[in-house]
Amino acid sequence: MAGRNPGTELELGWISKVYVNRPAVVRHAEQIKKWKTVKGNWQAAWLLKAVTCIDLTTLSGDDTPSNVQRLCFKAKHPIREDLLKALDMHDKGITVGAVCVYPARVSDAVNTLKAAGCNIPVASVAAGFPSGQTPLETKLAEIRLAVEYGAREIDIVISRSLVLTGQWEGLYEEIRLCRAACGEAHMKTILATGELGSLANVYKASMIAMMAGSDFIKTSTGKEVENATFPVGIVMMRAIKEYYWQTGYKVGFKPAGGIRTAKEAITWLMLVKEELGVEWLTPELFRLGASSLLGDIEQQIFYHVTGTYALQHELAMA
């Protein structure tokens, strides 16, 4: 990944007078939905870029070693080999950005990927995912265990109550402790934006998370009623830009939850390009949290290559 954000001292002055013009943000988000998507070879190129930024995820109560192994195989071979050959991309080493699982399944994923001879990182959710309603000591212990099991990325979730009650010092300290527990593992901080009450709180929580040393800020757990939305994405990316201007450190962005179609993936890529620039369009600074998105992307690439949509049995399940 890119050079890590070391964080800063807590600067409450950066957030004390924040005002978010919600109507303007919503209008911009509505315009984004009307953007015309790219077609032909350009579409295929954008979709392959999206594949490399996917955190291929399974976070179900019935996860087993076998379905994690299947997920890892799909992570290494996200697009059928013959389709990549038709696009002359078969030798470019295209894989997903990471495999994301619960801590108890980290060892299964690490061992499977190691046996397959690939270096795809394993990410683990932690810190009381998805609710965050566990004692801090338990959160830190869970992070340390996930790292011990081999996770190279940790997706923590914040305590929403600290945001809703304006306890910014407490939020900063909690995230700093989580960052310390991660050690060398990179930390993505899930804000659970659908539960923060306002776009102003989303901006403030984003800034606090970055001050506390987050390598990425992430919209959602995927378990909330409202997950990744364009208004939230705009606000979070504006915060990332401001933090970069203030400190010189680039922090990654990860929308997650409800992103299911190839068109949505391309729109997110285009939005990142518009708000942050092309340098953010790498797995080091942009990820898409998704479980079913890859299937639609492969279907669209199949159509681009063959002119027909694949039958159910023609594409391997993720």
Side-chain angles (χ1 to χ4, degrees):
M1 282 186 149
R4 297 190 71 178
N5 166 39
T8 68
E9 296 295 321
L10 179 61
E11 297 284 354
L12 290 177
W14 291 5
I15 65 170
S16 62
K17 296 181 180 179
V18 167
Y19 169 74
V20 177
N21 186 340
R22 182 179 178 85
V25 172
V26 171
R27 280 198 305 271
H28 184 34
E30 289 301 316
Q31 292 170 353
I32 291 166
K33 294 177 183 178
K34 298 175 184 177
W35 283 353
K36 292 182 179 179
T37 188
V38 289
K39 299 292 184 181
N41 289 336
W42 291 106
Q43 182 188 46
W46 279 89
L47 290 177
L48 291 178
K49 168 61 74 173
V51 167
T52 66
C53 296
I54 289 176
D55 279 2
L56 193 58
T57 302
T58 181
L59 295 171
S60 299
D62 57 357
D63 284 339
T64 62
S66 61
N67 76 294
V68 170
Q69 289 165 5
R70 186 179 68 191
L71 191 79
C72 291
F73 179 84
K74 189 63 177 175
K76 185 181 180 183
H77 305 282
I79 305 296
R80 255 176 42 176
E81 185 75 8
D82 59 320
L83 300 178
L84 291 176
K85 285 182 177 178
L87 298 169
D88 196 26
M89 294 294 289
H90 59 285
D91 57 351
K92 300 299 188 292
I94 291 176
T95 68
V96 301
V99 170
C100 185
V101 294
Y102 276 117
R105 301 269 70 90
V106 167
S107 296
D108 297 329
V110 169
N111 293 335
T112 301
L113 291 169
K114 183 178 180 180
C118 64
N119 197 37
I120 300 171
V122 174
S124 173
V125 295
F129 180 94
S131 70
Q133 296 282 12
T134 53
L136 180 57
E137 295 80 6
T138 304
K139 294 179 180 182
L140 299 178
E142 187 178 37
I143 292 169
R144 295 187 188 104
L145 280 174
V147 173
E148 181 183 327
Y149 295 156
R152 287 157 52 191
E153 301 176 8
I154 303 293
D155 289 32
I156 70 161
V157 62
I158 67 169
S159 298
R160 277 74 105 190
S161 63
L162 296 176
V163 176
L164 295 171
T165 56
Q167 298 182 61
W168 304 115
E169 296 92 342
L171 179 64
Y172 173 85
E173 185 60 28
E174 179 174 286
I175 298 173
R176 286 295 285 180
L177 290 171
C178 289
R179 163 68 190 266
C182 286
E184 294 301 311
H186 284 245
M187 185 176 77
K188 308 189 200 90
T189 299
I190 306 170
L191 304 182
T193 55
E195 297 177 348
L196 296 188
S198 70
L199 291 178
N201 277 347
V202 170
Y203 186 93
K204 292 176 182 179
S206 297
M207 292 299 290
I208 295 293
M210 291 184 285
M211 290 182 210
S214 301
D215 296 292
F216 268 71
I217 52 174
K218 175 179 171 182
T219 60
S220 322
T221 66
K223 309 293 186 181
E224 295 94 48
V225 175
E226 182 180 90
N227 293 293
T229 66
F230 293 133
V232 160
I234 292 166
V235 170
M236 291 176 68
M237 283 187 267
R238 297 285 171 91
I240 288 171
K241 189 184 301 182
E242 176 67 22
Y243 185 81
Y244 176 59
W245 286 342
Q246 293 281 359
T247 68
Y249 289 104
K250 295 177 180 177
V251 173
F253 172 63
K254 179 180 174 180
I259 305 171
R260 297 184 176 89
T261 68
K263 182 178 179 181
E264 289 173 313
I266 290 176
T267 304
W268 277 108
L269 285 166
M270 294 170 68
L271 182 57
V272 169
K273 180 176 181 289
E274 178 187 78
E275 292 287 339
L276 298 172
V278 293
E279 61 266 36
W280 257 265
L281 291 179
T282 68
E284 289 75 29
L285 290 170
F286 177 65
R287 296 287 180 83
L288 289 159
S291 54
S292 59
L293 170 62
L294 182 56
D296 191 60
I297 289 178
E298 191 173 20
Q299 181 72 263
Q300 297 305 319
I301 290 176
F302 186 98
Y303 180 83
H304 173 72
V305 171
T306 68
T308 62
Y309 286 109
L311 300 176
Q312 188 171 7
H313 67 275
E314 292 182 298
L315 299 176
M317 293 186 296

